[in-house]
Amino acid sequence: MEDLRRLLRGLEVFAGELPAFDPSAAPDTPSELFTEWLLGAVAAGVREPHAMTVSTAGADGAPTARTLILKGVEPDGWQFASDGGSVKARDLAERPYAALTFYWSELARQVRVRGTVVPASAEASAADFLARGAGARAEALLGRQSQPLADLAERDTAVRDSLARLEAEPDLVAPGWTLHTVRPESVEFWQGDRERRHTRLLYVRDAEGAGPGAGGGWRRQLLWP
């Protein structure tokens, strides 16, 4: 364990040339700044820049986190999708609140989104499902996410059968599939610095749209590292 501790201490962080971030020039809304940062991550060649950690909590308050793919960013929030029988779907039914975390290590940039979660319409959820790849749709149609699995052969057989079903009925939609929108109450942008002079800018929802740094219903606040 001590060898592992030394190894972890010796690993380099914030390597390479890092982008600048001037919070005084940040746009009025967090969705605008997030889009800038996401496109910057794409341009920088960050792998899977649309991957994010989605954290939820169930009725007992115990948190659960997993990595999902961002489906879209709109003025009213960040979107992801899930099967109706999944752990996250059950959590959201009990507590419709989630936290999203994006981290682009090559740029030493992190974005944290917290807010209420609202399900999209059945039509929008179906459109999201049909836009998925065949393998992803075949797996979702099984409706067995997080259930015990006897062996991998059972999985492979079930997915093959589901793919065959999709070939015969290409418009099939998993009945519980739901597109969710996280309507943010706060969004934090974190820019790492090699000397640990990290820059943190927090957007907080301002219902009255008033106060220093406010714009479009948001107020901005710098945070200590």
Side-chain angles (χ1 to χ4, degrees):
M1 294 299 294
E2 189 57 38
D3 288 344
L4 177 58
R5 192 185 307 277
R6 284 195 294 269
L7 172 65
L8 294 175
R9 288 281 188 181
L11 292 176
E12 187 177 11
V13 295
F14 309 132
E17 184 176 351
L18 302 180
F21 175 42
D22 178 7
S24 67
D28 289 337
T29 67
S31 59
E32 292 176 274
L33 182 54
F34 178 84
T35 301
E36 289 181 17
W37 278 29
L38 177 61
L39 294 177
V42 173
V46 175
R47 290 189 59 184
E48 299 173 352
H50 54 339
M52 59 185 177
T53 300
V54 179
S55 302
T56 57
D60 59 359
T64 305
R66 74 288 287 166
T67 301
L68 299 179
I69 295 299
L70 176 70
K71 294 303 184 76
V73 181
E74 299 184 351
D76 63 339
W78 279 246
Q79 295 180 323
F80 66 91
S82 72
D83 178 78
S86 66
V87 172
K88 55 185 167 294
R90 295 196 297 271
D91 282 356
L92 292 173
E94 295 284 351
R95 295 171 179 254
Y97 200 87
L100 312 179
T101 307
F102 297 83
Y103 182 56
W104 303 304
S105 60
E106 295 91 332
L107 305 176
R109 282 182 166 176
Q110 180 178 190
V111 180
R112 301 167 62 200
V113 182
R114 298 174 67 247
T116 55
V117 180
V118 179
S121 66
E123 293 77 13
S125 296
D128 175 83
F129 184 84
L130 293 173
R132 293 166 63 84
R137 283 182 287 137
E139 188 279 328
L141 279 171
L142 297 176
R144 301 179 188 175
Q145 190 176 89
S146 299
Q147 295 181 14
L149 174 67
D151 56 54
L152 297 182
E154 179 186 6
R155 175 204 64 189
D156 294 343
T157 298
V159 172
R160 279 197 301 271
D161 292 344
S162 189
L163 280 169
R165 186 183 175 197
L166 275 177
E167 289 179 6
E169 302 176 76
D171 293 330
L172 274 176
V173 174
W177 192 258
T178 305
L179 181 66
H180 300 280
T181 299
V182 179
R183 293 182 175 171
E185 297 174 1
S186 67
V187 184
E188 181 190 330
F189 294 82
W190 183 95
Q191 174 63 66
D193 177 79
R194 204 171 284 105
E195 302 300 323
R196 303 305 193 271
R197 294 174 298 188
H198 310 312
T199 301
R200 297 174 64 187
L201 177 64
L202 178 67
Y203 285 78
V204 179
R205 179 76 70 178
D206 187 347
E208 298 180 358
W218 293 93
R219 58 184 174 84
R220 300 192 297 272
Q221 174 68 61
L222 289 172
L223 302 175
W224 279 89

